[in-house]
Amino acid sequence: MHARSTGHTERSPGTERLWTDVRWLLYTLAAAASRLPATMLPLGLVLAGHSATGSFMAGSVLAGAYAAAAALTAPWRGRRLDRTTLPEGLTLPLVSGALLLAGLTVGLATQVPVALLTVLAAAAAVAMSGVPGGMRSLLPVLWGERTSTRAFAGDSAITEITWVAGPALTAALAAGLGTTAPIACAALFWAAASLLVRRIPGRRTPETAPELRQGTGRLLRALLPLLVLNLSVGVNLGTLDVSLPALLHSRGTAPAGSGLLIAALSLTSAATVLLLTAPVAERFLAQDADARRSVVCHACYGLAFLALVALPPYAGVLTLVMVAGCFLGPAISFTFALVPRLVPSGRHSEAFALFMSTNAVGTALGALTAGLLVEHLSVPAALLAAALPLPAALAAGLALRRRRGRERSRPAGDLPG
């Protein structure tokens, strides 16, 4: 089941501690700085577009162009990063993204046509779309196999924290300094990340094996069960964006309270995966059962949302969402930790980029589905869609079990399928 990988080194237990490792601290700063803009821009572009044109439609066009461009180009950009030396190869995308956002800031301030603003937003997304996957591909290189699962858990915590901090920071900057301030701040974060990534003392050189030149189709087949899990989480999150406000409204509570529920989901998710980074978690994580843990966590995450169909009061909804969050972060981190075992290291950036695209597609499908169900059926019907990770976990678990025997006998470096 293990794919050939370069750059792994055996490390003593003393060097496998994360939070006292200078490499981990540098990685954490670089990852946070590179991801914060992605959590700031959805709201920031809507606010800036509305302020510049007087139309929320213009803001939604900017935000939609950014999201669509990132989702569509992430695998291609990730594959290009796989053919460069990392982390140096991350510098140019980060600098390019920062410069494009700076241009977008100037364009918003000078009220250039919306068409040009849209091009700048989409170009910034294309420049940066492969960076999250490129950053993640460094984890199994910098930290050996025993520690990589804990590193992926810490990486998931970084992501969750940025999703809590990003929208809040955007709102504060827009209120205090104006609606172009969040866009300018996002540009500064990417510029800072471009300096930080070059200080990460690990290097991954591109591989040239023939199987690494194979098309994305084989990579998709190798990761299909994991991508199904990832898609189900995307559908879940998109569904919650629509169904939670509708649920609160149906209970006579202000729909805006759904923001606290989403924040609570991210906070408990982050807290749980932070616990997995502690040295005391090493024995639990060293059991080589990431596939089973990923499936179980996804199933429990989906199961937690089934109780929402009963339309509990706000306190009950908050409790259920917080319980679900305890499974969300571990589910994602265990899934990502499986990637280095299923594909060669020379395809990691592209593989992780596929997860980004799949999640974005799932979020869009979930929001659309929930909107239709709320409008034409009922709120409980929409909430039922939020439980999709449960059947997805059952299907993925069966697929992974059937594949296990074939992967153990496959020559190292081959992609399944």
Side-chain angles (χ1 to χ4, degrees):
M1 184 173 178
H2 294 262
R4 180 167 55 85
S5 172
T6 61
H8 287 253
T9 57
E10 293 296 326
R11 306 187 190 279
S12 66
T15 63
E16 291 184 346
R17 295 178 179 272
L18 289 180
W19 295 103
T20 57
D21 187 339
V22 66
R23 300 168 306 158
W24 175 251
L25 297 178
L26 286 169
Y27 177 88
T28 298
L29 290 173
S34 67
R35 292 175 193 169
L36 260 173
T39 66
M40 297 172 64
L41 289 172
L43 175 60
L45 289 171
V46 171
L47 296 177
H50 172 259
S51 178
T53 66
S55 168
F56 277 111
M57 177 60 70
S60 66
V61 167
L62 294 180
Y66 178 88
L72 291 173
T73 62
W76 165 64
R77 296 291 295 170
R79 189 165 194 175
R80 288 181 64 87
L81 284 176
D82 280 328
R83 297 173 179 176
T84 65
T85 300
L86 297 180
E88 291 96 329
L90 297 169
T91 303
L92 181 58
L94 286 163
V95 171
S96 300
L99 290 175
L100 287 165
L101 283 189
L104 179 59
T105 303
V106 173
L108 287 164
T110 56
Q111 297 185 335
V112 302
V114 173
L116 179 56
L117 296 176
T118 302
V119 170
L120 288 171
V126 172
M128 282 293 300
S129 61
V131 170
M135 289 290 298
R136 260 188 204 103
S137 71
L138 293 172
L139 292 174
V141 177
L142 293 172
W143 291 277
E145 192 164 303
R146 287 182 58 200
T147 313
S148 63
T149 300
R150 286 169 51 210
F152 277 110
D155 186 72
S156 295
I158 297 168
T159 300
E160 295 289 356
I161 291 170
T162 60
W163 275 108
V164 175
L169 179 59
T170 296
L173 288 171
L177 300 176
T179 54
T180 59
I183 313 300
C185 183
L188 292 176
F189 274 126
W190 278 343
S194 70
L195 299 176
L196 289 167
V197 293
R198 295 188 65 85
R199 297 182 61 83
I200 299 175
R203 295 293 181 266
R204 196 204 72 184
T205 56
E207 296 186 31
T208 58
E211 64 269 12
L212 302 181
R213 294 191 291 271
Q214 295 168 349
T216 302
R218 296 197 69 186
L219 187 63
L220 282 169
R221 289 193 293 273
L223 296 172
L224 184 58
L226 306 186
L227 292 175
V228 167
L229 293 174
N230 193 58
L231 178 69
S232 73
V233 171
V235 171
N236 164 273
L237 296 175
T239 300
L240 294 180
D241 287 339
V242 177
S243 60
L244 286 180
L247 169 61
L248 297 185
H249 179 72
S250 72
R251 303 295 294 181
T253 306
S258 61
L260 175 60
L261 298 175
I262 298 297
L265 178 71
S266 294
L267 285 173
T268 55
S269 176
T272 306
V273 288
L274 280 174
L275 290 175
L276 294 179
T277 67
V280 294
E282 185 169 344
R283 175 174 294 184
F284 168 70
L285 298 177
Q287 295 173 359
D288 196 25
D290 288 315
R292 189 184 313 120
R293 288 192 290 255
S294 174
V295 168
V296 169
C297 285
H298 277 90
C300 291
Y301 178 66
L303 184 63
F305 287 103
L306 283 179
L308 289 180
V309 177
L311 302 181
Y314 188 86
V317 177
L318 179 61
T319 300
L320 288 170
V321 167
M322 293 179 70
V323 170
C326 294
F327 296 101
L328 175 59
I332 294 172
S333 58
F334 290 145
T335 301
F336 282 160
L338 287 169
V339 173
R341 306 179 187 185
L342 293 175
V343 300
S345 63
R347 303 294 296 274
H348 285 179
S349 295
E350 183 182 4
F352 289 123
L354 283 171
F355 282 92
M356 172 185 169
S357 295
T358 307
N359 187 265
V361 170
T363 301
L365 288 175
L368 177 61
T369 301
L372 292 172
L373 290 174
V374 167
E375 184 71 23
H376 298 289
L377 286 179
S378 65
V379 173
L383 289 168
L384 191 61
L388 183 62
L390 175 57
L394 298 178
L398 290 174
L400 288 169
R401 178 176 294 182
R402 287 196 299 265
R403 181 180 290 182
R404 190 173 302 150
R406 297 196 303 270
E407 288 172 349
R408 285 176 178 169
S409 62
R410 183 174 291 111
D414 277 358
L415 289 176

